[in-house]
Amino acid sequence: MRWDPGCLWLLDQLRLPREEIWVPCRDEQAVAEAIRTMQVRGAPAIGCAAAFGVALAWRAGGAARARASLELLAGTRPTAVNLFWALAEMRRALDAGDDVEARALAIWRDDIDRCLAIGRHGAALVGDGATVLTHCNAGALATGGYGTALGVLRAAREAGKSVRVLADETRPFDQGARLTAWELQRDGFDVEVIPDNAAAWILKSGRVQLAIVGADRISKNGDAANKIGTYGVALACHEHGVPFYVAAPFSTIDLDLASGDAIPIEERPWEGGRYPAFDVTPARLITAIVTERGVFRPPYDLR
Ligand code: MRU
């Protein structure tokens, strides 16, 4: 994303990888629509975009309109807690009478810093020459920039390691095939797309050294909601002795939730099929959670 005062520019993630189209959002309605339709997606990215949506409302109509925009933006997508975290931050800025636009910019920059720190902490988990499985897109496109799971892989490469990536395709929006492959290829990674239903078989082959994914909401005990199919990858990793890591900033941790049972799961309306968009991987299947504060291992007690 890019910010011009008065306009949030979003790289349209529905058009990638064939077309690189930047969509201008000049008011909060446009931002809400972009989040709802998934022109922008990925937990930290929708938090950043929503913060800019509040800033646009504030520029146009002051504090009253900005407060109304909080509700509009909160109604766009239910699972990723970063959205509600960012809106709570914006509400605090409004309550304190702070510069709301400056607060949105700070949330965005802070998200990139968190990703860089996640990368620094996580790089040690990736061996030189490793083949890594990832699921969905937890990259620069899904965050303020740099990425969480893909940030770890970027940092490993910046540390001089060679990394090969297998990207699960992730239906029905194909984030892995369209977005992860696109952004890693642009960065010069060796990346191959695999169908989600090939992951277990490939993990059994012994050719994958680790799996790393992002998250949309993590409860205090370490249960992690992420793109549907993540749970299956974690089960297959467990069965075949492959470490399974989750990388996420603390803005993804829902400190109000003791376990993942209460995480709301979004469904995609789609004719002729049932598409829950997320699943919850129980903490016992997660080898470690990589955050900007360091690498956490079980038993998780995140706070
Ligand atoms: O439905 P999406 O594309 O917003 O789902 C995104 C994911 O599940 C990502 O893996 C998650 O948000 C982590 S992004 C750093």
Side-chain angles (χ1 to χ4, degrees), residues 38 41-44 77 136 138 142 148 175 215-216 226-227 268 278:
M38 301 195 37
R41 35 60 56 204
R77 292 193 62 188
C136 194
T148 52
Q175 291 94 331
D216 290 83
N226 192 50
K227 180 56 51 206
R268 304 255 181 266
F278 300 97

Side-chain angles (χ1 to χ4, degrees), residues 246-257:
V246 172
F250 258 75
S251 50
T252 303
I253 296 166
D254 187 340
L255 296 174
D256 293 333
L257 287 189

Side-chain angles (χ1 to χ4, degrees), residues 98-113:
D98 291 346
D99 181 332
V100 167
E101 186 173 335
R103 188 71 198 100
L105 274 164
I107 286 175
W108 182 33
R109 292 187 182 127
D110 175 62
D111 188 66
I112 298 171
D113 288 344

